[in-house]
Amino acid sequence: MRARRLTRTLTCFAVLSLTAAGCGLGGGSDDSDATAGACKVDKANVGSGKLTGDVTGRITFQTTNLKKDFGDFFNGVIKAFEEAHPDASVKWIDDPGDNTFTQRTVADAQACTLPDVLNLNAETATSLTKAGYLLNLGVKDPDSAKPFVPAFWKSSTFKDASGTSAHTVFPWYTGGILLTYNTDLLKKAGVDPAKPPTTLFGLFADYEKIAKSAKGKYYATMANPIWRIPADFDQMNIRTLSADGKSAVFADDPRTTQWVAWMAKLYKEGAMPKDSLSSSNDPSTLYSQGKVAYGSTNPSFVRFVKQNSPSIYDRTGVGQQPYDRLGHVTAAPQYIGVASTSKHASTALAFGEFLTNAENQTAWCKDPNVVIFPTTTTSLNDPFFQNTAGSDPFSEARKLVAEQLKTTTAYQTNLSPAVQNAIVSQVQLAMQGKKSPEQAVKDAQEKADELLKQAG
């Protein structure tokens, strides 16, 4: 239920002024006796100390599946940057962002052909940081943290080869998470829409009330646990993996077994459609038909309902996803990294900062055809995110998510598809009554561990 591919094209464009964050950075020394992987690089790119000098030279900027829908916007950002720095130029390329993205990007890095500035997800950023292919942004420009939400910046780190956390990325745009629900269906079940639960088990208790009230005429939510693992564990502050990420530890927390027991109970009692246990469908269709009480946790879902099912939209409410034991939400942002193999690292760093500054983030996130959120403090305080139009659910959702992003972190657990599927399949067996919750959790951890060991 996380944010999917951004769609549609910007209908307007504004040229934005260059802020001081992108000025005064330079290329460092001309010595190429340092390396990143097997690539010879300027030692200033990988050594200590801030980059100094002029912003000059041609760099390549790579996004992930954005050019078709947002060509006007990014071409405008590039034009504004080039006008501010006449001796610099930016070539924009767009990667399709398919399931081989990480593998291909790492291969490019190893071949010393990594783009200078690139749009990354957490998995790819992890691999590139460990191999030393990204600039340590906090070192190369200590002021680069200033625009970003402090908690977001602090948590946007990845470990280098020595296991030390490094700021090798700028947090860029992100989605959000919230409860969306049919207020009529909740009221029928005796659930107060104005008082969302503060824990996930409290939410599960509300699901149970709906199952008892609906008696199969409608449902609380979808069954497939793939939407909830490891997101629910993170929110409950259950550690899914060990600190080094090399082993699974979720079975060590008794609340994991309680969570699986709840899922099995809810499935048995009819809180979820039986045929949705292995379905990859989210609640969009059934919610729009009034057959599911809770919709997707993605705020863009609210706009989907508004556009496709006005009658259900009139009955839609939004509320805070339970903070549970974590005490705040987590987000999975897209990132901007700067290659340590760049021959014009100062220019690349300047452009990365310009692209992610408050002005550019606010301008993009205001576009009516996209539901994304910025990661800078100034952007989140913009009236666009703070003002709501009456009781309009979409406006309320935007304000709610903007507020929670002020304290959010990027500490989401990243599982490979294989490890996630291994855990999910065991939970599904428990939900079908084929295993006890205790056995399912035990077996899930063993299978996850085996896959993690294979991956090294």
Side-chain angles (χ1 to χ4, degrees):
M1 297 184 194
R2 301 292 184 192
R4 297 179 184 270
R5 175 181 176 272
L6 299 173
T7 56
R8 300 195 181 184
T9 305
L10 285 175
T11 57
C12 60
F13 157 73
V15 176
L16 303 171
S17 61
L18 182 64
T19 64
C23 304
L25 300 170
S29 73
D30 293 326
D31 299 328
S32 297
D33 55 0
T35 58
C39 307
K40 291 184 178 181
V41 300
D42 188 320
K43 65 182 181 181
N45 293 8
V46 294
S48 60
K50 181 178 179 179
L51 288 173
T52 58
D54 298 325
V55 177
T56 61
R58 183 171 178 79
I59 61 170
T60 299
F61 164 49
Q62 178 179 289
T63 53
T64 306
N65 203 16
L66 295 177
K67 182 170 281 191
K68 178 182 176 181
D69 298 322
F70 302 103
D72 288 346
F73 179 78
F74 289 107
N75 281 326
V77 171
I78 291 169
K79 181 180 178 181
F81 180 79
E82 291 176 339
E83 288 177 347
H85 298 289
D87 295 326
S89 63
V90 180
K91 177 185 177 182
W92 179 23
I93 59 176
D94 196 48
D95 187 275
D98 56 28
N99 57 10
T100 64
F101 175 73
T102 298
Q103 179 182 350
R104 288 185 289 102
T105 304
V106 171
D108 288 344
Q110 293 170 337
C112 309
T113 58
L114 196 65
D116 301 271
V117 180
L118 61 166
N119 176 192
L120 300 169
N121 57 25
E123 180 184 3
T124 313
T126 297
S127 298
L128 294 178
T129 301
K130 186 175 182 180
Y133 288 115
L134 296 177
L135 286 187
N136 188 331
L137 305 173
V139 171
K140 294 309 169 185
D141 183 8
D143 292 332
S144 60
K146 290 181 179 179
F148 301 101
V149 173
F152 224 149
W153 173 261
K154 183 179 180 181
S155 60
S156 292
T157 61
F158 297 93
K159 293 184 178 180
D160 61 19
S162 69
T164 302
S165 294
H167 284 288
T168 55
V169 292
F170 296 119
W172 196 20
Y173 68 90
T174 187
I177 187 169
L178 73 170
L179 292 178
T180 58
Y181 42 77
N182 185 312
T183 56
D184 284 359
L185 297 184
L186 263 60
K187 290 175 182 176
K188 285 182 180 179
V191 176
D192 186 352
K195 296 180 180 180
T198 58
T199 67
L200 282 164
F201 289 165
L203 180 61
F204 287 175
D206 286 349
Y207 288 171
E208 187 175 32
K209 290 179 182 178
I210 291 168
K212 292 178 179 179
S213 172
K215 301 184 185 303
K217 295 179 181 178
Y218 55 91
Y219 304 93
T221 188
M222 306 295 276
N224 195 339
I226 199 166
W227 296 111
R228 295 181 170 273
I229 296 173
D232 279 11
F233 296 172
D234 283 349
Q235 204 59 55
M236 295 171 69
N237 210 19
I238 294 173
R239 290 181 58 192
T240 304
L241 302 178
S242 59
D244 61 9
K246 295 182 178 180
S247 61
V249 296
F250 56 86
D252 302 343
D253 193 318
R255 291 175 301 149
T256 307
T257 300
Q258 294 172 22
W259 183 91
V260 175
W262 257 114
M263 291 290 286
K265 181 181 182 183
L266 292 169
Y267 186 71
K268 181 179 180 181
E269 293 180 349
M272 310 159 176
K274 296 296 183 184
D275 60 358
S276 70
L277 183 59
S278 59
S279 171
S280 61
N281 295 330
D282 66 18
S284 302
T285 300
L286 290 181
Y287 183 88
S288 297
Q289 296 172 350
K291 295 181 180 179
V292 173
Y294 286 88
S296 169
T297 59
N298 186 340
S300 64
F301 174 76
V302 183
R303 188 184 66 176
F304 171 86
V305 177
K306 183 176 183 178
Q307 294 173 337
N308 295 280
S309 186
S311 62
I312 297 296
Y313 182 74
D314 290 341
R315 289 174 268 171
T316 293
V318 297
Q320 178 61 58
Q321 177 80 356
Y323 278 169
D324 210 285
R325 192 172 294 186
L326 186 64
H328 62 271
V329 298
T330 60
Q334 288 286 306
Y335 298 104
I336 291 294
V338 179
S340 58
T341 53
S342 175
K343 297 185 185 305
H344 302 286
S346 58
T347 304
L349 180 53
F351 181 73
E353 291 181 332
F354 180 56
L355 176 69
T356 59
N357 70 22
E359 289 178 90
N360 282 321
Q361 287 209 33
T362 304
W364 189 22
C365 294
K366 280 185 178 181
D367 181 77
N369 294 316
V370 63
V371 184
I372 57 174
F373 294 85
T375 54
T376 70
T377 303
T378 298
S379 299
L380 290 172
N381 286 329
D382 190 274
F384 177 77
F385 294 106
Q386 297 302 318
N387 296 339
T388 60
S391 59
D392 177 61
F394 187 43
S395 295
E396 290 180 347
R398 188 164 53 213
K399 182 177 181 179
L400 188 156
V401 172
E403 282 299 314
Q404 68 186 24
L405 285 175
K406 293 179 180 179
T407 57
T408 193
T409 66
Y411 289 139
Q412 288 194 338
T413 301
N414 295 306
L415 299 178
S416 70
V419 171
Q420 184 188 34
N421 288 334
I423 300 171
V424 166
S425 64
Q426 294 302 309
V427 175
Q428 288 170 328
L429 291 173
M431 292 173 70
Q432 292 172 308
K434 296 180 179 180
K435 285 188 177 183
S436 68
E438 293 80 6
Q439 189 63 46
V441 171
K442 179 177 181 293
D443 292 347
Q445 179 153 301
E446 289 178 354
K447 292 181 181 298
D449 265 337
E450 183 178 331
L451 291 168
L452 290 165
K453 289 178 182 178
Q454 293 174 3

